[in-house]
Amino acid sequence: MPHPHAVAGMVSRLNDPHYARWASQVRATGGCRQPIHLRGKVQHIDRATGELLHSYSTRTEPDGVLRVPCKTRRASRCPACAEVYRADTYQLIRAGLAGGKGVPETVTAHPCLFVTLTAPSFGIVHTRREKNGKLLPCHARRDAATCPHGRVMSCAARHGSEETCLGEPLCPDCYDYAGSVLFNALASELWRRFTLALRRRLAKAAGLTVRELREQVTVSFAKVAEYQRRGVVHFHAVIRLDGPDGPSSPPPAWATADALADAVRHAASAVAVTVPAAEGEPARVLRWGAQLDVRPITMGGELTDQAVAGYIAKYATKAAECVGTLDRRISPLDDLDALPLRAHARRLIAECFRLGALDGLADLRLTQWAHMLGFRGHFSTKSRRYSTTFGQIREERAEHMRAEAVSTGRLPLFEEDTVLVIAEWEYAGQGYSLGDALLAAALTGVPLADSGGPR
Ligand SMILES: [Zn+2]
Ligand SMILES: [Zn+2]
Ligand SMILES: [Zn+2]
């Protein structure tokens, strides 16, 4: 049963003479849960005569504002906009594997791998293990040691996929929380060093210098970060070899999938990042975990371009919330015990605050990124030559929507170079009131947020 306040809001919106226009604005946001309100005007003026050809102002709109989609990539914040982002990511990744969006189809013949780089272990955690479709015990040890905190380091349970203990340490007091958040903080740097080492190894194997390599081969990649349940990021990446001009040029004959796989394996094991010692904390050397997955991507083979594009696109809309942290910044002044956090996430966040207060580690900005468990990198990145860009994909869509608006008479069609467009916009808020949120959900078929509600 909705709150009486919400019901009153719904009634007054429904009785508003502008209701029909409000409803069409809401539909135009595509079900955005937290649309941005813009106030302003757009004028089309004839450059030659100064005549006002067309003008639009939000003054006549419901509440004097235009509602536009928030365009977040985070599914936890807005499922509808995140879905648009996911679809764009899919197109972008797919184009780099199968061609399209300006990438020639010949790219399918270039060596291409799907690589997963993981974090090392920071302590034994509960895991769901399967072998040949059979569920195995989590961490069964007959002569299991007892840790200094009196906990037996064994778990014979066969965990279900939704069990909340998954990813949690067998002994939280033994777990290396510092190592975990430092790894997250330096994962992007480790990736950068990995890509450099990869090029060096490729060059060396071909008897070239790195500079000479660049004249023959472009290494293109697209990667996405994914949080494992234990709260550390790992990376999934598409790595492809092109000729010197990117996807339109073939790589030299020596640059095979095997040569690339060798370079990936070598680079993953070779690179490290050193965390300097700081007030009572020892220096640490961080590396990738021993688990490294390298698989060729082939059209119609075991691992297809669609599967890879779908996989990367899916993770592009997720953040750390699945680990049980919060989807917003947390301050050291917040009472962590009062926030709805999982115990493991709470300890990781507390560790970010503890290490973030040390002068020697200030560069890692662990306090600001505590809600991300230390990771402050981009979730999905790609090299310049990988395929098309988000900008191009969005522009295509905007162009399509504009053409539609013109053909249905909502927008005038003017010659671009003869018309001066003057636009003034200001931010006037975001989201829905309780009553509006209920109506918007009914209009767009997008369910409301589980908690919190409108802001
Ligand atoms: Zn949205
Ligand atoms: Zn277990
Ligand atoms: Zn212990």
Side-chain angles (χ1 to χ4, degrees):
M1 189 62 200
H3 194 272
H5 196 72
V7 176
M10 278 170 73
V11 170
S12 84
R13 178 65 76 191
L14 285 163
N15 287 317
D16 186 328
H18 288 107
Y19 173 73
R21 175 60 195 156
W22 180 84
S24 96
Q25 268 198 20
V26 169
R27 282 192 206 96
T29 63
C32 176
R33 183 184 276 175
Q34 44 171 14
I36 290 165
H37 306 174
L38 294 176
R39 196 178 290 128
K41 60 180 182 181
V42 184
Q43 294 184 321
H44 290 74
I45 294 163
D46 190 313
R47 279 184 196 276
T49 65
E51 186 194 348
L52 180 63
L53 299 170
H54 184 266
S55 90
Y56 165 82
S57 163
T58 57
R59 231 174 332 124
T60 57
E61 295 284 5
D63 310 319
V65 295
L66 183 67
R67 291 165 179 85
V68 297
C70 71
K71 293 193 176 167
T72 184
R73 68 169 187 84
R74 301 251 189 120
S76 57
R77 293 187 186 165
C78 177
C81 292
E83 174 53 26
V84 173
Y85 185 90
R86 191 201 60 74
D88 285 358
T89 305
Y90 180 87
Q91 298 287 338
L92 194 150
I93 299 296
R94 181 85 205 284
L97 298 172
K101 306 272 163 201
V103 179
E105 259 179 54
T106 48
V107 79
T108 54
H110 298 192
C112 195
L113 300 176
F114 187 56
V115 175
T116 300
L117 291 156
T118 60
S121 169
F122 298 106
I124 302 163
V125 296
H126 293 281
T127 41
R128 178 184 158 82
R129 296 197 304 128
E130 265 178 276
K131 199 174 180 186
N132 305 328
K134 231 185 113 207
L135 197 53
L136 301 179
C138 165
H139 190 81
R141 296 288 181 279
R142 206 167 299 122
D143 310 310
T146 301
C147 84
H149 311 96
R151 294 181 177 105
V152 180
M153 287 292 121
S154 174
C155 173
R158 293 164 209 266
H159 296 300
S161 58
E162 294 308 316
E163 275 184 50
T164 50
C165 72
L166 290 175
E168 308 231 323
L170 265 57
C171 176
D173 298 314
C174 283
Y175 198 73
D176 182 7
Y177 283 93
S180 176
V181 301
L182 288 169
F183 180 86
N184 281 350
L186 287 157
S188 298
E189 175 59 18
L190 205 51
W191 166 264
R192 194 184 67 85
R193 294 185 187 192
F194 165 78
T195 61
L196 295 176
L198 174 68
R199 289 186 178 94
R200 273 199 303 275
R201 176 71 174 197
L202 268 179
K204 196 172 170 211
L208 304 170
T209 65
V210 173
R211 182 187 295 249
E212 288 164 342
L213 177 78
R214 221 177 295 136
E215 285 161 14
Q216 296 192 19
V217 171
T218 308
V219 184
S220 289
F221 63 84
K223 80 168 202 303
V224 68
E226 182 204 347
Y227 277 86
Q228 294 186 296
R229 298 231 201 190
R230 58 187 169 131
V232 278
V233 288
H234 64 182
F235 291 135
H236 301 288
V238 173
I239 307 178
R240 191 187 68 215
L241 296 180
D242 300 327
D245 299 324
S248 58
S249 56
W254 63 261
T256 60
D258 285 343
L260 178 57
D262 165 76
V264 164
R265 290 204 176 86
H266 173 85
S269 64
V271 294
V273 182
T274 303
V275 188
E279 302 99 312
E281 288 296 314
R284 287 163 182 269
V285 178
L286 298 172
R287 298 174 176 282
W288 298 114
Q291 246 183 341
L292 170 71
D293 194 39
V294 182
R295 280 186 285 170
I297 306 167
T298 50
M299 306 290 286
E302 194 188 321
L303 184 63
T304 64
D305 54 313
Q306 285 117 313
V308 169
Y311 200 60
I312 289 198
K314 177 177 139 206
Y315 285 111
T317 64
K318 292 200 169 144
E321 60 272 12
C322 45
V323 184
T325 174
L326 292 183
D327 191 12
R328 62 165 175 86
R329 287 227 161 138
I330 305 171
S331 150
L333 300 174
D334 286 335
D335 177 7
L336 284 188
D337 291 329
L339 293 173
L341 301 165
R342 261 174 64 195
H344 184 56
R346 184 176 292 131
R347 283 187 78 151
L348 287 163
I349 290 165
E351 192 66 8
C352 285
F353 289 152
R354 188 181 74 78
L355 295 174
L358 306 181
D359 284 339
L361 300 175
D363 288 351
L364 301 179
R365 304 180 61 216
L366 286 164
T367 304
Q368 290 90 321
W369 295 95
H371 64 303
M372 302 297 284
L373 316 179
F375 181 64
R376 66 189 187 293
H378 290 289
F379 266 81
S380 47
T381 59
K382 60 172 203 63
S383 59
R384 195 168 51 83
R385 291 273 184 71
Y386 177 74
S387 70
T388 180
T389 65
F390 273 112
Q392 271 166 339
I393 288 181
R394 287 195 190 114
E395 210 168 283
E396 269 176 38
R397 188 171 49 235
E399 195 49 49
H400 171 77
M401 281 160 73
R402 207 180 75 88
E404 206 179 62
V406 168
S407 67
T408 57
R410 275 177 287 142
L411 251 187
L413 178 62
F414 295 128
E415 295 268 354
E416 301 240 327
D417 46 351
T418 63
V419 173
L420 183 66
V421 182
I422 301 174
E424 286 169 26
W425 294 110
E426 64 173 312
Y427 174 85
Q430 187 173 14
Y432 288 120
S433 68
L434 273 174
D436 283 357
L438 288 169
L439 282 177
L443 281 167
T444 60
V446 176
L448 296 167
D450 307 332
S451 61
R455 266 154 285 172

